[in-house]
Amino acid sequence: MSYDLEVYGKVALTTKELAKVVSSVRGLKAAVDRRSQTISSIVHKRTREMAFELDGPDLVESEDIPEEWTEVADATVLYSIHVSYDVQSGAGGFSFSVDEAKLSVATAFAARLAERIGGTVIDPQTYEPPEREPDPEPAPDPEPPRPRFLHLRWYRLLDDANDKDLAEIYLRTAREFFKPGVPPRFGTHEPFQGRFPRDDDAQFDAMYREDCYLSDLILAGKPIEHGTIDGWTNDLERRTQSIRLKFELDRLEKVKALDAIEPFFVALAERTGSFFAFAEVNTSRYGTAHPLMDVKLKDPWSGLPTAPQWLTWFEPEYAEMVAPHLDPIRTKANGQGTLHRWTEHPAGADELLRLSGDPWIPAGFRGVLDPAGDGRCAQAAAVMPASLRYPVPESPQALRIEAHYARVREIEANARNRAAEGRR
């Protein structure tokens, strides 16, 4: 986690030129990797302690720059500056803060770099678009219909720290069943450096395996509105791993992809071993009827959505539990799970409730929404397969997770000790 500054400009400096900009800031020095002739780190001259990280130059196109950042709309290169947060643990959990001294020198360097490349510094944490004269108000037009979105989600248990196959399975399945799911752009941060068809599929898989420890692989580019593949680490508070996709439904209709949704949905659920998956149609660009799991709760799974979904998939144990509450005529089962589909066409909750009744499934199966209204889960569902609950203390599964995190803490402690030895 870091405090980030972004410098947009039109000039890509050589390593030597960039090092000169670094040294122009009092107390800073660029450490250059002789083999690759790149800047490996930026440190304080006196202490040799890292001041901040610097990435770039990355080539950017107009589609990589947010529309409201008008002052950098014509930029062609981006330098990214990252000031690491200090992490402290206490009785209330972890807290994060930024070292003001490090942020100060990073800000000074960003200003010098912007001056050198004829660019502009953007602080995403505090950015506000420049004020402009308001346009004269036109006569009100009739409100256009709100766009409808298709949200696709798959969930599986993440019990293996070395389980890194999710991206490869996703891309292979999308290419076979659902071409709109193949992302034109992908990466772990913007601007996205992965691009199809320029890159091969192996690069997509390698980026996930190498860069997605605790980081999502982000999928972007029309017709995908947004997509993520969860990182592959075994997280103590969140043992579920998900794939999330969002499409504007009209775009899928235009490319005649609606009939391909169900085969893709089922195939990916089977190949990933998903215990639950859903396809929801709504007019919300961001939210669904599935409560977001709060990391403060012990259980890794919140439960089923609060409203009926167009498509749902259940692994066999889950399917047996919910079967009495679903329409058997609309259900298809095989050895790997059960698909329930309310309508032939993509339908939203208002239409589905007329078929399912309200509630669509007893409250015990659904997570309890937080009264604050932010979509988070205040309490996990009372009814769910035992495998989806946090392991009982001292059980083999709980001990294995605790052992994994003990190893992580040991590795981090050894790394800190080696760094301290190097500074002496």
Side-chain angles (χ1 to χ4, degrees), residues 159-163 213 232-236 396-416 418:
D159 287 333
D160 250 329
N162 295 319
D163 201 354
Y213 174 78
W232 44 258
T233 189
N234 184 359
D235 188 333
L236 193 60
Q397 176 67 3
L399 293 174
R400 192 177 69 77
I401 293 175
E402 292 289 356
H404 166 72
Y405 274 87
R407 290 193 298 272
V408 170
R409 288 191 293 271
E410 182 180 358
I411 291 170
E412 292 175 345
N414 290 338
R416 287 194 298 270
R418 286 195 298 271

Side-chain angles (χ1 to χ4, degrees), residues 184-199:
R185 305 289 296 271
F186 60 91
T188 57
H189 62 278
E190 297 186 53
F192 302 121
Q193 298 305 303
R195 184 192 294 269
F196 287 134
R198 181 195 66 192
D199 302 327

Side-chain angles (χ1 to χ4, degrees), residues 337-354:
T338 296
L339 171 73
H340 186 274
R341 176 170 177 160
W342 280 111
T343 58
E344 288 301 312
H345 59 279
D350 289 346
E351 180 178 350
L352 299 181
L353 283 171
R354 292 194 289 271

Side-chain angles (χ1 to χ4, degrees), residues 66-123:
E67 291 182 4
E68 64 270 21
W69 294 7
T70 54
E71 59 268 61
V72 296
D74 58 350
T76 56
V77 296
L78 166 65
Y79 290 88
S80 301
I81 299 167
H82 312 288
V83 182
S84 297
Y85 279 106
D86 294 330
V87 183
Q88 297 177 333
S89 60
F94 293 99
S95 62
F96 303 88
S97 61
V98 65
D99 186 317
E100 293 297 333
K102 291 182 180 180
L103 182 58
S104 177
V105 295
T107 302
F109 167 72
R112 295 282 178 87
L113 179 58
E115 182 180 354
R116 175 64 176 80
I117 65 173
T120 302
V121 180
I122 297 289
D123 183 339

Side-chain angles (χ1 to χ4, degrees), residues 339-377:
L339 171 73
H340 186 274
R341 176 170 177 160
W342 280 111
T343 58
E344 288 301 312
H345 59 279
D350 289 346
E351 180 178 350
L352 299 181
L353 283 171
R354 292 194 289 271
L355 299 172
S356 68
D358 189 9
W360 76 280
I361 202 164
F365 287 89
R366 294 178 277 126
V368 178
L369 284 170
D370 192 314
D374 60 358
R376 294 192 174 276
C377 183

Side-chain angles (χ1 to χ4, degrees), residues 56-300:
D58 289 321
L59 299 180
V60 294
E61 301 174 11
S62 58
E63 64 189 68
D64 299 318
I65 302 172
E67 291 182 4
E68 64 270 21
W69 294 7
T70 54
E71 59 268 61
V72 296
D74 58 350
T76 56
V77 296
L78 166 65
Y79 290 88
S80 301
I81 299 167
H82 312 288
V83 182
S84 297
Y85 279 106
D86 294 330
V87 183
Q88 297 177 333
S89 60
F94 293 99
S95 62
F96 303 88
S97 61
V98 65
D99 186 317
E100 293 297 333
K102 291 182 180 180
L103 182 58
S104 177
V105 295
T107 302
F109 167 72
R112 295 282 178 87
L113 179 58
E115 182 180 354
R116 175 64 176 80
I117 65 173
T120 302
V121 180
I122 297 289
D123 183 339
Q125 289 83 193
T126 61
Y127 179 82
E128 292 185 7
E131 292 186 7
R132 64 175 188 175
E133 290 294 326
D135 296 328
E137 291 190 14
D141 292 326
E143 275 196 30
R146 296 178 65 183
R148 293 194 303 162
F149 296 94
L150 174 68
H151 300 265
L152 298 170
R153 305 274 176 89
W154 295 261
Y155 297 89
R156 72 174 182 177
L157 279 175
L158 177 58
D159 287 333
D160 250 329
N162 295 319
D163 201 354
K164 306 177 186 178
D165 61 352
L166 199 54
E168 185 275 330
I169 294 173
Y170 171 80
L171 184 59
R172 172 164 46 89
T173 306
R175 288 207 182 279
E176 183 176 350
F177 291 95
F178 193 64
K179 293 299 189 292
V182 178
R185 305 289 296 271
F186 60 91
T188 57
H189 62 278
E190 297 186 53
F192 302 121
Q193 298 305 303
R195 184 192 294 269
F196 287 134
R198 181 195 66 192
D199 302 327
D200 58 28
D201 291 4
Q203 186 164 338
F204 184 84
D205 180 46
M207 182 180 293
Y208 182 75
R209 292 175 182 271
E210 295 169 8
D211 300 337
C212 289
Y213 174 78
L214 282 179
S215 296
D216 294 342
L217 184 61
I218 304 171
L219 316 180
K222 302 299 183 186
I224 298 175
E225 285 284 323
H226 186 71
T228 57
I229 301 177
D230 280 355
W232 44 258
T233 189
N234 184 359
D235 188 333
L236 193 60
E237 279 81 21
R238 189 205 62 193
R239 288 171 48 242
T240 58
Q241 188 182 34
S242 68
I243 298 175
R244 301 165 182 247
L245 291 175
K246 177 177 60 181
F247 297 90
E248 192 169 328
L249 199 56
D250 284 349
R251 291 184 182 276
L252 295 182
E253 291 175 341
K254 287 177 182 177
V255 298
K256 303 185 184 307
L258 296 187
D259 289 343
I261 294 172
E262 181 185 313
F264 171 61
F265 178 76
V266 172
L268 190 56
E270 292 176 342
R271 293 177 179 183
T272 58
S274 295
F275 61 83
F276 178 67
F278 70 82
E280 177 176 327
V281 177
N282 63 30
T283 56
S284 171
R285 190 176 292 273
Y286 304 105
T288 70
H290 186 241
L292 301 173
M293 201 62 207
D294 195 320
V295 296
K296 293 181 289 187
L297 301 178
K298 270 294 185 182
D299 285 319

